[in-house]
Structure formats: C-alpha cells, structure tokens
Amino acid sequence: MGSENGDDDQIAASDLPRPCPPIRSRYFPPVPYPVLIAAELRDLLTPADLADLDVTWMAAEEPVPQGDFVAIVPLLSRWVGGTELKRLPNLRIIANCAAGYNNVDVVAAEMRKVTVTNTPDVLTDATADLTWTLILACARRLLEGIALIRSGTWAGWHPTELLGLELRDKTLGLVGAGRIGQAVGRRATGFGMRILYAARSAKAEFERDTGAGRVELGPLLKDSDVVSLHVPSTPETKGMINSDTLARMKPGAILVNTARGDLVREEALAMALEEGRLGAAGLDVYADEPAIHPRLLAAPRTVLLPHIGSATGDTRRRMAALALANVRAVLQGQPPLTAVFG
Ligand code: NAP
C-alpha cells in the first residue's frame, strides 16, 4: 500500500487502527486496496463496484487467507471470528453480504476496531414476498395439489378436496416487526388479516397504517392462525420456538420462518407436525444449513425452501453493491452506509 510521502515501509501492519488515506489522492494515481470478496458474488458485481480495489476472490470451501487485506466481503455461510481476524491484521471492515450478521463475531470485531456492516433494506421486499409465498403455499396446500396433479390420480373437481385455510379475518402474528416483519404485515392488510406483533419497542406508524396490535409472545402464539418469525438470531432468540412455545400455538396454526433457522428447535417442530398439532410449517432457513434435520425433512405438511428469501436478481445485485459501497465508504474514511458496528 502506498502513502503520500512515498515511503511504504513506514506503514507497519501492527499500526492498527489507523485512518485510511482516501482512495484518490491529488498527487498520486489511485492505490488499489487489497480486499477479499466471496467468489459467489463475482457475477453480481460491476467493474464500477470494484474500481480501485485489488480483489482476491474467496472460494466457499477455502479458509480466510492470511494477508494485508483491508476489507472482507463474506456470505452468511462464512464464519468470521477471532481466528479469521488474526489472519487479517490490516482489516478495516467486514462487509457482510446479508441482513443478518450472526456469522460474524461482532464482539471480536469491535475489540479490534473493525467496522461491521450488513445489507438491510435492499432485501426487505424480496424477503417479505417470499414469506407470503410460504404463507399462501401452506394455507392453500400448494405442494399437495402439485403432487396430486403429478401423480396422475386426480379425479377432477371435488367440493371437499384439499380444503385449506381462508386467510380473511384470520390473525397473522409477527414475531419481530423490523423492516421485514412490517413489510410482511403491510401485505397482510390486502388479505384482510388482523395483525398482532411481538417486539421490544412499539411501532406507532405500523400500528396506525395496518391496525396491528402489540402483544407479548405468549398471547401472540395463542391467538395467531399464522405465526411468522422476523427476529435476528441472537442468544435471546435462539430456540424461541421450542416444545413449550409450540404447545402454546393455536391447534392447526401455520408457522413460517424466513429469519434464521436456529430460532426454531427443529425436532420439536417435526413432532408437532407429526402429531397434527400444527397445521403446516413453511421454512426458508434451517439451524444447520445446508443440512436439514431428517425428522423435519420427513414431517408432513411442510413447505421447505433452500434459503432463497432475498433471491431475486435485482435484490442480490443491490446487496452485493451495498456491501461494496460500505467497503468504499470505510476505506475513504467516511461512515459506513449500513453499520452494525463502527
Ligand atoms: P430488522 O429491521 O433489524 O428487524 C429485526 C426486528 O427484530 C427488530 O424490530 C428488532 O427490534 C427485533 N428484535 C431484535 N432482537 C429481538 C429480541 N431479542 N426479541 C424480540 N425482538 C427482537 O431486521 P430485518 O431486516 O427485518 O431482518 C430480520 C431478519 O431476517 C435478519 O436478522 C435476518 O436474519 C433475516 N433475513 C433472512 C433472509 C432470508 O434470505 N431468508 C433475508 C433477509 C433477512 P425491536 O424489537 O426493538 O423492534
């Protein structure tokens, strides 16, 4: 890396934290900054996103390489903790390419004064749409209908065949009402649903716009026909849907999870489905991805998707561009656009 006095040796790797010189200097040509980016993002990024950066692409199976990299852009499937940070003594920013950041040891990053960013907002609509895909697929028994057609045994229209749950006048319970939870709730008004939400703080505008009511988790589980999870994975939320909380849900209710897999105890969920206590489960995320608990895989009335909440071309390009915009801001000494820490 260069410096304005031209004496590279004066900048020692152990000098961290130190302010980063601007990418473009009045007196010297641009200096490319060494950055690590998940290889899977290569096709989503434009040359403009990567300008002035000296990119090393990280393959999924490859551990974080050692080096003088100043930024890392990981996917949510890569853990970035103390060991990884030790290999990257010059690191300024972990620009996670996801809204969730439970794959990053934020405390370890904070101790080393490494900024952590995520990619919220740009994926809210895509993830809310996918949540509704799961709600509707569960409520209207979509997979059973498809299986019946494909089996070749469908005998024609029948008045009591594949009766599902009418959503109008039913209750949607949102566990977490941040960006995605609220977007899911706003869509519910079009389906004529009553909305309850459980959150640490009241959402006045959301309540005013949708008529949603804030309740504790217990009453929400008891009164909701559809329960949809939208809290991050934290020590407090992990395992919040377990045998006790599942037992408190309305008989026949639908559980949808597009947040993080470890919010749910998957074996307990599989049992509730096997015993017919729960109407259906629509899941996009799993506790040990890409593995899926075998009992859950075999359980009846599930709609299981492969973590595609944000998977539209537009959204994935916006997520990658936002992650790189955060890198650029921090390297230019600006505040990051979407900081988790720093
Ligand atoms: P957000 O705007 O930060 O909303 C999260 C909400 O959860 C906030 O309202 C928050 O605070 C609440 N919350 C946090 N900790 C809580 C706790 N311990 N107990 C109860 N509520 C708590 O995040 P978002 O953009 O809506 O995203 C939510 C999650 O969705 C992300 O963390 C990510 O894991 C997941 N996600 C998944 C996909 C996918 O591909 N399936 C895509 C995007 C995001 P308050 O309670 O104060 O309101």
Side-chain angles (χ1 to χ4, degrees):
M1 284 171 53
S3 65
E4 294 231 337
N5 63 14
D7 187 351
D8 287 3
D9 293 337
Q10 299 244 322
I11 300 177
S14 58
D15 273 346
L16 280 177
R18 62 180 191 266
C20 192
I23 284 184
R24 293 196 184 280
S25 147
R26 261 178 71 198
Y27 308 107
F28 292 93
V31 178
Y33 285 91
V35 304
L36 283 169
I37 304 180
E40 296 88 337
L41 296 176
R42 194 194 291 251
D43 292 341
L44 296 170
L45 290 162
T46 65
D49 292 324
L50 302 172
D52 302 319
L53 302 177
D54 174 10
V55 178
T56 297
W57 300 101
M58 281 181 299
E61 63 285 358
E62 184 194 341
V64 170
Q66 186 131 18
D68 61 354
F69 302 100
V70 291
I72 182 169
V73 183
L75 305 182
L76 54 82
S77 45
R78 181 182 290 278
W79 174 249
V80 183
T83 307
E84 291 71 23
L85 290 171
K86 268 193 201 137
R87 291 191 197 136
L88 304 171
N90 288 1
L91 198 68
R92 303 281 170 78
I93 173 170
I94 303 166
N96 211 37
C97 192
Y101 46 86
N102 51 310
N103 59 306
V104 177
D105 186 340
V106 179
V107 174
E110 191 171 348
M111 278 166 56
R112 287 170 179 265
K113 297 193 166 47
V114 173
T115 297
V116 180
T117 61
N118 62 345
T119 60
D121 293 317
V122 294
L123 44 57
T124 296
D125 282 332
T127 311
D129 288 349
L130 191 91
T131 304
W132 271 96
T133 306
L134 287 171
I135 293 173
L136 290 167
C138 288
R140 300 306 300 273
R141 305 176 63 177
L142 191 79
L143 296 194
E144 289 164 85
I146 292 170
L148 181 58
I149 291 290
R150 287 191 189 281
S151 74
T153 60
W154 181 46
W157 192 90
H158 188 286
T160 58
E161 187 165 71
L162 289 179
L163 299 183
L165 177 75
E166 179 103 16
L167 292 176
R168 182 162 296 279
D169 298 328
K170 298 297 190 304
T171 299
L172 170 66
L174 301 168
V175 180
R179 297 169 180 89
I180 297 169
Q182 290 190 35
V184 170
R186 288 177 191 280
R187 283 157 174 72
T189 59
F191 289 92
M193 294 188 81
R194 170 179 173 246
I195 303 162
L196 296 176
Y197 72 99
R200 297 172 306 183
S201 57
K203 319 290 175 197
E205 196 182 328
F206 177 58
E207 291 185 17
R208 199 175 53 242
D209 293 351
T210 62
R214 182 171 168 226
V215 293
E216 295 295 322
L217 180 64
L220 181 145
L221 294 173
K222 184 169 130 319
D223 293 339
S224 297
D225 301 282
V226 179
V227 173
S228 192
L229 307 182
H230 301 288
V231 287
S233 166
T234 68
E236 301 83 58
T237 60
K238 267 184 199 174
M240 69 191 303
I241 301 299
N242 50 44
S243 49
D244 285 348
T245 45
L246 284 164
R248 284 195 256 160
M249 286 178 68
K250 232 183 195 182
I254 293 168
L255 177 73
V256 170
N257 185 10
T258 59
R260 281 291 180 268
D262 58 8
L263 303 180
V264 177
R265 296 270 180 254
E266 292 174 339
E267 182 144 11
L269 173 58
M271 276 176 68
L273 289 161
E274 287 162 11
E275 291 166 12
R277 285 185 279 124
L278 213 59
L283 309 176
D284 184 44
V285 287
Y286 307 90
D288 186 24
E289 295 177 11
I292 299 181
H293 195 294
R295 202 158 165 184
L296 189 57
L297 210 50
R301 295 180 309 283
T302 58
V303 181
L304 306 179
L305 296 180
H307 203 149
I308 54 169
S310 63
T312 70
D314 288 347
T315 289
R316 288 281 166 83
R317 275 188 290 276
R318 283 196 291 257
M319 289 166 66
L322 178 55
L324 266 294
N326 276 314
V327 167
R328 194 169 304 281
V330 168
L331 296 186
Q332 288 178 333
Q334 312 287 330
L337 286 78
T338 48
V340 171
F341 159 75

